[in-house]
Structures are given as structure tokens and as C-alpha cells.
Amino acid sequence: MTESLKLVVGFVIGMLDNHSRKVSAKSDPTYRFALRCVRFSQSLALSRKVKSVSLCQIMKEQSLRSSEILAHARRRARKQEEFDRGGFHFTAVWDHILESQCSHDETGDTACSRCLFERSLMLPELPEMVFPNNTLTIAFTRYPGCSIQFNALDALKMVSADVLPDVQVAPSTTWQESRRGIAEKAAHPFDWTFTSKYAGTVCGCSVEPTDEIIDVERLKRQEPIGFYSQMTLYEDELADHGTAEMTVRLRAMPTFFFALMRFYLRIDRVLIRVCDTRILGDNDQGYILREWSIREAKIADLGHLPPEALLDANQVWPSLPLLESRSEKIIPLLSEVSSS
């Protein structure tokens, strides 16, 4: 095999490995382009009277190498940080992106992440980037098993799997129809904006409504940060017509901690939507305060803002009308038993 042929085929395999969905040789443009590259390289090799090599052999050889590299990269991608303060234990985990296809052969697991997501979710299509193992966990140190966690799988479980979003895309009705076609091919519509009202996964705690709210002015004060983490749970670029992303970040100060999980949706020239979950816990207070809200506005109603502000959720969210909100206390069940 010539070096040029090896390079081209390696590039092609890399494209296919990074492709975010299962491909079809008949319909997928990336796959068709890949095959054209390989065929061109073969013809180039033959024109120089180089010994012909089977396309299947080339693809198999390069696929094995690529799989080994990807498996090694996945093993090295995992990072975990932990921190204790004020009666809380914080665990942040960052890991690789969701595989584009099943990886049983590589891991030996009976249920890889890809299979778990496809089996657990009714969505006919996943976001372009999903981080299945990225998690942020806040646990009560005095009450084992009592915690709140943020993860991608539970967030995507709250995306509507049977209703199309009530959105008319301004730039192109063709794009709207293409998204509608994806849902119809799967026998049912779904929310292709991936809007989720997820507010965290609570374990071993009761959730009670409260009138207590988070003091925003307190959060603005400059205090030393003992621990900080930020991660993405999932993201989709909406076919280059905007973005939908779920992120979570946390900072622990000397006397309290604050976490924000945010779903930010921007459909260009149409609307902006922000779903926020704010978590605050004071040292040794015995409960966590959680505020959830959803805000939304049409782009046409945000003309008073500079264009760059629309691209930044931190800048645009205060200008969005509040549609719904609630405040809750997250209280360890073990603390209720001991107090009684």
C-alpha cells in the first residue's frame, strides 16, 4: 500500500469514527465522500503501477488501528475531582463523548454507553454531542446516600419524545421539514430542540416547596473559591441554525456553595429559551435550596440588545420574560428520621 493511500484512508476512517450518527452508504453525504476519496486513491496507486490492495482489507486494517486509538483515548479521557466543605461532598467527573456506534467488541461490556442511551431513551435522534459519563454530584456528608446529581441521561429523559416543538424556523422552512421528516421516519415526532426541564436527580431526600429564595446579591460578592467545576452534558447545533446545550457549573466558597445547571436554546432569528436550575447550600444547614425557572423570548422582541448578547446566555437571560418558576428545599430523609 502506498503512503498516500494509507494517509487518505486513515483520514477517511477518522471522519467516519467521528461521525455522530450511524451512516448509510446510499444516503449519507459524508460516507459517499469517504468512498470517493478511497476510490480516487486506489486509482492513483494503480496508475503508478503499484500493487493493488483490496479496499476491504485497507478499511479493516485502518479500522482496527483507529479502534485501538479511540479505546486508548477513552481510557485516558476520564478525570475526576472531589472536594469536602461545610457538610457537603462534591464529585465532578469529566469523560469522553458518546460513541457513534456500539462498542461491545472493544470493552467487553454487555451494555455500552451507546446501547444504554438508545435503550433508555425514546428519542429517534440524539444531540450531536452527548457526554454520557459527565456528572456533578453534591452529597450530604452526614447522611450517606442523600445527594443530588446532574447527568446527561436523566436530562435527556425529560425531552419530549412524541411532540414536535411549536417553532417555525425563520431562515428556512426546508430545514423545518427536514427535522420533521426525521421524526416521521421514526414513526413519531419528537422535540428536536432537546429542551429539557430537568432539575437534577435527587436521591435519599425529600423535596418540599418553599417561599425561601436565593439571595442573588450574596452571589455577587467576591469571595475566595475553594473548588470550581464546569462541564457540558449535551449540545446540538440545530443543523447550523442555532444551538441547544445543557451545562452545569459549581463553585464552593468558605461559607456556602452555589451550582447552576443551564439549558440554553437559541434558534437564529426565531427565539431564545433558558431553563435554569440554581442550587445553594449553606455550611451545615442541613438542606439545599433549589430554584428552577424557564424564560423565553422571540428574537424580534430583543432588538434592544446588541447582537453579541444574543449569543451569550449569561448576558441575555436577564432580558427574557419569566414563564414559570418554583423554589424547593431538598432535605435528607435520614435527617427527618433522626429529628423525629
Side-chain angles (χ1 to χ4, degrees), residues 123-184:
L123 299 172
E125 182 182 3
L126 293 177
E128 293 168 335
M129 291 183 288
V130 178
F131 296 88
N133 301 320
N134 282 13
T135 58
L136 175 65
T137 305
I138 303 168
F140 291 86
T141 54
R142 292 172 54 193
Y143 308 105
C146 301
S147 65
I148 179 170
Q149 184 187 87
F150 303 97
N151 65 80
L153 181 59
D154 288 340
L156 288 170
K157 285 180 179 179
M158 299 193 69
V159 174
S160 176
D162 54 12
V163 178
L164 281 167
D166 185 19
V167 175
Q168 296 298 322
V169 180
S172 171
T173 56
T174 303
W175 178 67
Q176 173 84 350
E177 290 303 318
S178 69
R179 283 283 180 167
R180 188 183 300 274
I182 291 172
E184 290 174 351

Side-chain angles (χ1 to χ4, degrees), residues 322-336:
L322 179 65
L323 302 183
E324 184 182 352
S325 67
R326 65 176 184 267
S327 296
E328 300 163 325
K329 283 185 178 180
I330 299 174
I331 306 171
L333 292 175
L334 292 177
S335 68
E336 296 178 346

